[in-house]
Amino acid sequence: MERTAHILVVDDDREIRDLVGGFLTKHGYRASLARDGQEMKKVLLDHSIDLVVLDLMMPGEDGLSLCRNLRAKSNIPVIMLTAMGEETDRIIGLEMGADDYLPKPFNPRELLARIKAVLRRAGEGGQTAGDRNVLKFEGWKLKVNERELLSAEDMVVPLSGGEYELLLAFLERPQRVLSRDQLLDFARGRDAQPFDRAIDVQVSRLRKKLEPDPKEPVLIKTVRGGGYIFAAKVEKVDG
């Protein structure tokens, strides 16, 4: 029997919490609600959560700080809710490790579609690469089935869902110029809205984790007017 996905909704607005929680329950999900960071942390300790819907603006510890701290400890997908749909808020949210974003006010059906898309991407980790269990490059290893990035010292380097999908898109198409639109399609699927800066932010985050000098990248290179190219050779091996 397939396990019911458990969604945690964190928002200080009770009406929004109840609306989203009820909508998710109606559509077959298990939903837990939290009004602030303290309640969020308690739920995460007590339950196995599959995805967090996290409001950006809250009293006390805000959504950006909570997202950053969560990303440092786990790979649980995060969808950030941003007031007014400000581009700066979306960019900062992605920089903190959010997998997707949705501006307020939002249609619950659109949020549901985003949740399904993010959960689907999170659950498809090893499927797109078939039997290519490990992708090796420049001393690094991406264990596709486990969604783990290992350094040359075999240390696990945490990746957000978006970072993982983007890195996998690069590694499956090395030494090939990829436009931002192609990367959005490869990494995030047809559910993504056109938002070039989202790719730029994720590339910046990957560079900080992969490159010896992120300001002078040798792995993920920018192609003026073209997009990006993963310059290293990639070896596909069984795990």
Side-chain angles (χ1 to χ4, degrees), residues 57-68:
M57 298 299 295
M58 292 188 296
E61 190 173 4
D62 64 23
L64 293 177
S65 175
L66 291 168
C67 182
R68 181 177 59 246

Side-chain angles (χ1 to χ4, degrees), residues 153-209:
E153 296 77 27
D154 278 339
M155 300 292 292
V156 176
V157 178
L159 294 174
S160 71
E163 291 165 2
Y164 168 82
E165 297 293 346
L166 182 58
L167 179 57
L168 183 60
F170 277 127
L171 297 184
E172 291 190 321
R173 302 162 185 86
Q175 301 174 330
R176 170 181 162 189
V177 177
L178 300 172
S179 70
R180 289 173 175 82
D181 285 344
Q182 286 176 311
L183 288 168
L184 273 170
D185 192 34
F186 293 144
R188 305 187 69 199
R190 298 289 180 179
D191 304 282
Q193 293 181 343
F195 180 34
D196 286 354
R197 291 298 300 277
I199 290 297
D200 294 335
V201 169
Q202 299 287 19
V203 166
S204 176
R205 288 176 59 85
L206 280 179
R207 282 173 170 166
K208 290 177 182 178
K209 295 181 178 183

Side-chain angles (χ1 to χ4, degrees), residues 55-181:
D55 185 31
L56 175 68
M57 298 299 295
M58 292 188 296
E61 190 173 4
D62 64 23
L64 293 177
S65 175
L66 291 168
C67 182
R68 181 177 59 246
N69 293 334
L70 177 63
R71 185 56 64 237
K73 299 174 182 177
S74 79
N75 291 325
I76 298 174
V78 175
I79 295 179
M80 188 78 76
L81 301 179
T82 62
M84 304 293 291
E86 290 291 338
E87 180 174 309
T88 301
D89 291 343
R90 298 199 297 268
I91 293 171
I92 294 175
L94 291 166
E95 288 177 340
M96 293 299 102
D99 295 275
D100 206 346
Y101 55 86
L102 190 63
K104 289 182 176 181
F106 58 87
N107 186 315
R109 291 188 178 278
E110 182 176 2
L111 175 60
L112 180 63
R114 299 294 185 94
I115 288 172
K116 288 180 177 179
V118 171
L119 288 175
R120 183 171 63 249
R121 294 198 299 269
E124 289 177 349
Q127 296 176 15
T128 57
D131 58 357
R132 297 162 293 181
N133 297 328
V134 179
L135 302 177
K136 300 173 69 174
F137 61 97
E138 295 294 320
W140 294 86
K141 291 185 292 187
L142 183 69
K143 300 174 72 174
V144 178
N145 292 344
E146 293 83 358
R147 298 173 68 89
E148 281 187 351
L149 177 64
L150 300 178
S151 70
E153 296 77 27
D154 278 339
M155 300 292 292
V156 176
V157 178
L159 294 174
S160 71
E163 291 165 2
Y164 168 82
E165 297 293 346
L166 182 58
L167 179 57
L168 183 60
F170 277 127
L171 297 184
E172 291 190 321
R173 302 162 185 86
Q175 301 174 330
R176 170 181 162 189
V177 177
L178 300 172
S179 70
R180 289 173 175 82
D181 285 344

